[in-house]
Every structure is written in structure tokens, then in C-alpha cells.
Amino acid sequence: MLKEYFKSQMQEFRNVIYMLLGYKIDRTQNSLYKLRSMYAEQPDDQLCFQVNKEGDLNLLENEFSATLEDMINLHLRHQKSIPVFLSAITMDLFNNKTMTKTFQIE
Amino acid sequence: MLKEYFKSQMQEFRNVIYMLLGYKIDRTQNSLYKLRSMYAEQPDDQLCFQVNKEGDLNLLENEFSATLEDMINLHLRHQKSIPVFLSAITMDLFNNKTMTKTFQIE
């Protein structure tokens, strides 16, 4: 019963994170986190972060991250901010979706 | 023991959310969530969201939200996106901090 209660609490928290910050976050293995954006163009587009020995998070390379080279350089390498990186992606994907919609309407 | 385990799991998840998305998220009462940004100018600057009967999140007014009128109008009222709103705040606060630093160095 207690286990079910905590599981439901965790699930509720994950849903609120998704509604607030726009990312569905899953921990697939120990210290590996997968993020999928609410505004993703493809359902498979996800970003994976791994916690290293120092407790820092590192972005792992995949097909989707390879399309984000400019944002990785600016926000992760230069500004050194994962929150700014993920925020920039949210705004970018949202703007792309809205623009596509606008073109379809016109 | 199980309770402690789940508590530590929840705490770890909250820490990872903070590192990834830049917001410390606390549930203070039932269906009330308080967010503090990693880049907040004042420690008391927080945004409160309440889950309503339909399951949607509403931003509650406070002193800090009163300073964000333009972003509330654009991202919440017009674009209807909480993730875009919170992303814009993250980028804005980060840019302010960076600019202040640059001025101090010069």
C-alpha cells in the first residue's frame, strides 16, 4: 500500500513537471535520464543526460542531439547552463510548431 | 525503511529536475506548487501554481509575478504555454545575471 502510494505521488509529480516545464523525464537506468519535449517534432526525439562521478550531468550524443550543434555550443559549452539549453529548445520547438500552423492556415 | 527509500528517491529526482531545468519545485499544500529559479535575483522570488478542478495549472499572483506582466500576457494569455513562459524567465534571468557580471568586470 505504501509502495503504491509513493508510486502515485511520484507519477503525479512527473505529470506536474511535464505541464510546468514541458519535458517528460524518465530515469531508465541508474543515473541516466531521458527527456522528451512536449513540443517535439518526432516522438523519438529525446535527450539523454547521465550523472557522472562528480555528480554533474552530461548530455549523451544521439541522432537528435546531433541536430542541435549550435545550441550545444552556445548554451552548454559557452554559457555552461543546461537549464538555458533546455529552455532554448522549448522556445525553438514551440515557435516552429506555431509557425508551421500559421503557414497551414494561410 | 521503504518510506525512507522513496523519500530519498523523490529528493534525488527533485535535485535532477533542478540541475536540468533550473527550478526548485516544492509542493507545499495539496495541489499547490512553488517554483524558485536557479537564477533568481532575490531568494524570495517564487512562482506559485495551483491545480484547478479541471486539472489545469493556474499561476497565482504575488509580488514577483507582478513584475512579469509582459511575459504573462505573451506566453500565458496569448501563446497559452506554461513551459514557454518558464523557459523565457530562465533565459531572461540568466542573461540579466551574465550582463551584470560583465558590467562589474569592466
Side-chain angles (χ1 to χ4, degrees), chain A residues 32-91:
Chain A
L32 185 68
Y33 293 88
K34 290 194 182 183
L35 279 74
R36 277 170 299 157
S37 170
M38 187 187 283
Y39 305 115
E41 283 162 14
Q42 306 293 335
D44 289 347
D45 286 352
Q46 51 183 17
L47 293 168
C48 303
F49 288 88
Q50 187 146 40
V51 185
N52 68 14
K53 275 182 272 176
E54 287 76 36
D56 298 321
L57 287 160
N58 289 320
L59 177 67
L60 303 183
E61 281 180 42
N62 63 18
E63 254 181 75
F64 179 52
S65 76
T67 68
L68 304 169
E69 205 47 53
D70 289 347
M71 286 202 262
I72 290 170
N73 278 329
L74 175 58
H75 305 302
L76 294 185
R77 298 213 175 97
H78 179 67
Q79 298 181 323
K80 298 187 194 305
S81 170
I82 297 174
V84 170
F85 173 65
L86 292 174
S87 295
I89 293 172
T90 295
M91 297 188 80

Side-chain angles (χ1 to χ4, degrees), chain B residues 39-106:
Chain B
Y39 305 115
E41 285 162 13
Q42 307 294 334
D44 288 346
D45 286 352
Q46 52 183 15
L47 292 169
C48 304
F49 288 88
Q50 187 146 40
V51 185
N52 67 14
K53 276 181 271 176
E54 287 77 34
D56 298 321
L57 287 160
N58 289 319
L59 177 66
L60 303 184
E61 283 180 41
N62 63 18
E63 254 180 75
F64 179 52
S65 77
T67 69
L68 305 167
E69 204 48 51
D70 289 348
M71 285 202 262
I72 290 171
N73 277 330
L74 175 58
H75 305 302
L76 295 185
R77 298 213 176 97
H78 179 67
Q79 297 180 322
K80 298 186 192 308
S81 170
I82 297 174
V84 170
F85 172 65
L86 292 173
S87 295
I89 292 172
T90 295
M91 298 188 79
D92 200 57
L93 290 174
F94 180 86
N95 289 333
N96 287 351
K97 285 228 160 181
T98 317
M99 274 199 288
T100 311
K101 257 191 211 162
T102 312
F103 284 128
Q104 282 169 348
I105 291 164
E106 280 169 2

